[in-house]
Amino acid sequence: MVNTHNTTSQDKELGHRLRVIRERAGLSQRALAKKVGVPNSTISLIESGKMNPSVGALRKILDGIPISLSAFFEFQPDAERQIFYAADELTEIGKGKLSLRQIGGTLFGRAMMILQETYEPGADTGRVMYGHEGEEGGIVLSGRVEITVGEERKVLGPGDAYYFDSRLPHRFRQVGAEPCVVFSACTPPTF
């Protein structure tokens, strides 16, 4: 029914579109889930971009609103217009020992993703390196992080920076005794 791995920016856009349409229909996540016979967590995971529904599952959910698949995909929600964000308004998209605090609640209609990344001791983006469309760069504010890009590897500390083609396989790993904080940007937002 759904894929919870390898979600993309398209999954996040689909989730944002579903949330906007559901809210315009005056339905809570719980009410829509009950109406179409799926767990509330399914709607929540789809809307957060963490779950990619099959066409059949999406059609079942949209029938509860009701809206057709074609009308759903034609709908273009307004891009977020907020300009300034308080520290507590950043959206957490990381988990475990890796905090990724995104500027903005959604990346729909945006050309860039900006993150405050905090790597607790032992944090790692994973042993398997990954790549995605775009370019990314960042600057280390505190702590130390080992960054591997393709065949190159370097440990960066406060004030050090990086910039690379995100299609190259890459990995970030915290090293040292204290957490590492990095501010980064990625364009387009395909992380």
Side-chain angles (χ1 to χ4, degrees):
M1 176 175 174
V2 291
N3 173 11
T4 58
H5 302 291
N6 302 320
T7 56
T8 65
S9 62
Q10 288 84 14
D11 298 330
K12 291 183 180 192
E13 287 181 13
L14 182 139
H16 177 68
R17 182 178 282 122
L18 177 60
R19 181 178 61 80
V20 170
I21 289 173
R22 174 187 55 75
E23 288 174 349
R24 285 189 178 182
L27 294 167
S28 67
Q29 286 182 348
R30 189 171 307 282
L32 178 58
K34 185 176 182 181
K35 191 173 184 180
V36 299
V38 300
N40 180 47
S41 60
T42 298
I43 305 294
S44 177
L45 288 168
I46 292 169
E47 288 185 2
S48 65
K50 295 178 182 171
M51 185 179 278
N52 181 359
S54 66
V55 173
L58 181 59
R59 171 173 260 155
K60 179 178 179 178
I61 291 166
L62 295 178
D63 285 347
I65 292 178
I67 186 172
S68 70
L69 274 172
S70 61
F72 174 77
F73 284 108
E74 286 174 11
F75 175 75
Q76 293 296 317
D78 293 331
E80 190 172 312
R81 295 177 191 217
Q82 185 173 351
I83 296 172
F84 303 105
Y85 298 84
D88 64 351
E89 292 179 312
L90 299 182
T91 303
E92 178 63 59
I93 61 171
K95 63 181 178 178
K97 294 182 175 187
L98 177 55
S99 170
L100 300 172
R101 298 180 66 221
Q102 172 183 291
I103 296 177
T106 177
L107 296 174
F108 189 85
R110 293 197 169 186
M112 178 173 51
M113 170 187 236
I114 302 174
L115 295 172
Q116 176 187 10
E117 306 177 29
T118 303
Y119 297 80
E120 294 296 330
D124 192 327
T125 57
R127 291 185 186 268
V128 176
M129 297 200 309
Y130 61 96
H132 50 89
E133 283 299 314
E135 297 179 329
E136 61 188 270
I139 187 165
V140 178
L141 298 179
S142 64
R144 296 169 59 78
V145 63
E146 177 188 80
I147 303 176
T148 305
V149 179
E151 299 295 320
E152 296 185 51
R153 180 180 305 169
K154 179 127 179 142
V155 174
L156 303 179
D160 294 336
Y162 61 90
Y163 186 97
F164 59 89
D165 182 330
S166 302
R167 292 175 295 188
L168 295 170
H170 52 281
R171 174 186 184 195
F172 291 70
R173 185 175 71 88
Q174 184 277 346
V175 294
E178 67 178 83
C180 177
V181 177
V182 174
F183 270 94
S184 68
C186 175
T187 186
T190 54
F191 175 80

